[in-house]
Amino acid sequence: MRWRLRIALMLVAAAMLAGMATLVVRAMRPRRMSDLAALAADYVPHVAQRIQNFHRVAVRDGRKVWEVAARDARYFERERKVVVRRPMLKFYLAGGGEISVEAEEGTVWVEGRELRAADVRGSIELTLDGYRVKTNSARYDRATGRITAPEAVVVEGEELTARGAAVEIDIADRRLRLLRKVEMELRPRDENEVPAG
């Protein structure tokens, strides 16, 4: 009879130990996952927030100054940069009008409410005062107030097509300057043509 009691007590103690072990494992599992997440953040600092339909606008004195939109974006907090796909940048000019830039992909650096810089690549189309500028890479730099395209560029307007090895666009002055190897084709307006609009 005593040996049956001893076996019963041992079985109860074993069941209690197994139950406590299960509770300890369950309690430790979330902690391990959070520890792994923290460890991953340390080893992979470039992991970013993914944002669908990214859109940022800067407004000063009730007027839009610039705008950035993209199909999707990845925000890297440490570098304060946003890697964008299918970006569209707009710079709203003081006297009215805008400069618009569209591309396949790019990187945008934002500090607070300021667009510090932007690099865009692939099938770029820039519009300014009725002119379309086509190139493959361009950079906006807030410090200079310019958009520069260091590669071959084509400028198309109603009465001209121009090509160059590079272009600079001064945003405040609305001035476009073709650089090196400039070729231009002028198309005089037909006097009999009725203006559109």
Side-chain angles (χ1 to χ4, degrees):
M1 180 82 163
R2 280 188 186 179
W3 63 274
R4 284 187 188 166
L5 185 60
R6 285 184 186 161
I7 291 176
L9 285 174
M10 288 173 53
L11 288 175
V12 169
M16 286 176 42
L17 285 173
M20 287 174 39
T22 302
L23 290 173
V24 168
V25 168
R26 284 185 186 167
M28 292 300 286
R29 186 173 294 152
R31 185 173 297 161
R32 281 189 194 151
M33 294 304 258
S34 65
D35 289 346
L36 287 175
L39 188 61
D42 288 341
Y43 282 105
V44 190
H46 301 290
V47 171
Q49 298 178 30
R50 246 184 164 15
I51 305 163
Q52 293 289 331
N53 299 316
F54 175 78
H55 191 237
R56 285 276 306 261
V57 177
V59 177
R60 274 190 216 109
D61 300 324
R63 184 181 73 81
K64 283 185 184 179
V65 178
W66 58 264
E67 180 176 7
V68 177
R71 182 175 294 166
D72 66 61
R74 289 178 292 150
Y75 177 63
F76 296 86
E77 186 174 1
R78 186 173 289 177
E79 296 90 354
R80 290 192 172 128
K81 74 178 182 180
V82 183
V83 176
V84 289
R85 190 166 58 94
R86 301 293 301 157
M88 182 277 304
L89 288 82
K90 285 189 179 181
F91 301 91
Y92 296 92
L93 306 173
E98 64 188 46
I99 296 174
S100 175
V101 181
E102 294 184 28
E104 292 293 322
E105 61 185 10
T107 305
V108 176
W109 288 268
V110 178
E111 284 184 5
R113 295 183 180 177
E114 296 300 331
L115 176 61
R116 187 178 51 140
D119 286 327
V120 291
R121 299 168 296 285
S123 303
I124 295 169
E125 188 164 311
L126 182 147
T127 58
L128 166 65
D129 293 337
Y131 292 98
R132 270 192 334 273
V133 179
K134 295 181 180 180
T135 188
N136 203 44
S137 71
R139 176 171 180 76
Y140 163 72
D141 183 7
R142 180 174 175 263
T144 63
R146 290 187 180 146
I147 298 171
T148 55
E151 296 185 25
V153 63
V154 176
V155 179
E156 296 176 335
E158 189 176 317
E159 298 176 2
L160 69 82
T161 298
R163 291 175 173 75
V167 70
E168 284 182 354
I169 300 167
D170 189 305
I171 294 174
D173 293 340
R174 298 171 100 127
R175 185 175 296 160
L176 182 147
R177 193 170 73 158
L178 280 169
L179 307 171
R180 301 182 313 275
K181 301 179 184 176
V182 177
E183 299 174 5
M184 187 177 299
E185 175 190 330
L186 296 174
R187 293 182 298 277
R189 188 182 304 190
D190 184 359
E191 294 296 323
N192 298 325
E193 186 179 323
V194 178

